[in-house]
């Protein structure tokens, strides 16, 4: 079993910055890739960013490329640095972990956090 918890979501003005944190615990051997997904009201969950187990490989959605940065301190600790945020970034952000090496697809992840709300005001 793997438990995933996100934190750091808050209200922020457009153009501002914030950092989301994700901590995994439990069966560490089952954790390879970790990623961030988000779901805005009335929309499907979408990929944001992902990182490999050793932090050496990263993927970003086109919508956040150049503004967001995913990083990984260790196997179980991941961050999402969000800069130059826009109102369209408003969503519940979910952290995910899984045995896949690196993936942009939600169904390839096995463990999910509860979500943290990010609201960007204009």
């Amino acid at each position: 079993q793997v438990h995933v918890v996100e934190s750091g979501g808050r209200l922020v003005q457009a153009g501002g910055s914030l950092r989301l944190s994700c901590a995994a615990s439990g069966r560490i051997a089952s954790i390879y890739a970790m990623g961030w997904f988000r779901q805005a009201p009335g929309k499907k969950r979408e990929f944001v960013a992902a990182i490999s187990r050793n932090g050496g490989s990263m993927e970003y959605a086109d919508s956040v490329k150049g503004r967001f940065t995913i990083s990984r301190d260790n196997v179980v600790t991941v961050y999402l640095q969000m800069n130059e945020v826009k109102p369209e970034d408003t969503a519940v952000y979910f952290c995910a972990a899984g045995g896949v090496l690196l993936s942009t697809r939600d169904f390839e992840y096995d463990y999910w956090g509860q979500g943290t709300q990010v609201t960007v005001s204009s």
Side-chain angles (χ1 to χ4, degrees), residues 20-79:
L20 305 184
S21 299
C22 178
S25 61
R27 197 169 182 266
I28 298 172
S30 297
I31 302 171
Y32 283 80
M34 292 186 71
W36 291 95
F37 294 79
R38 67 187 183 187
Q39 188 167 21
K43 297 181 67 177
K44 289 287 188 180
R45 186 165 59 192
E46 66 174 351
F47 169 75
V48 177
I51 191 165
S52 61
R53 198 175 209 240
N54 66 358
S57 299
M58 290 159 282
E59 294 278 355
Y60 294 96
D62 288 343
S63 59
V64 307
K65 199 170 297 180
R67 299 188 297 119
F68 292 7
T69 303
I70 189 169
S71 61
R72 194 165 188 168
D73 278 357
N74 50 57
V75 171
V76 297
T77 308
V78 171
Y79 304 97

Side-chain angles (χ1 to χ4, degrees), residues 36-48 88-94 106 112 116-118:
W36 291 95
F37 294 79
R38 67 187 183 187
Q39 188 167 21
K43 297 181 67 177
K44 289 287 188 180
R45 186 165 59 192
E46 66 174 351
F47 169 75
V48 177
E88 51 261 47
D89 294 322
T90 295
V92 176
Y93 282 70
F94 297 91
D106 55 1
W112 291 82
T116 185
Q117 177 71 48
V118 173

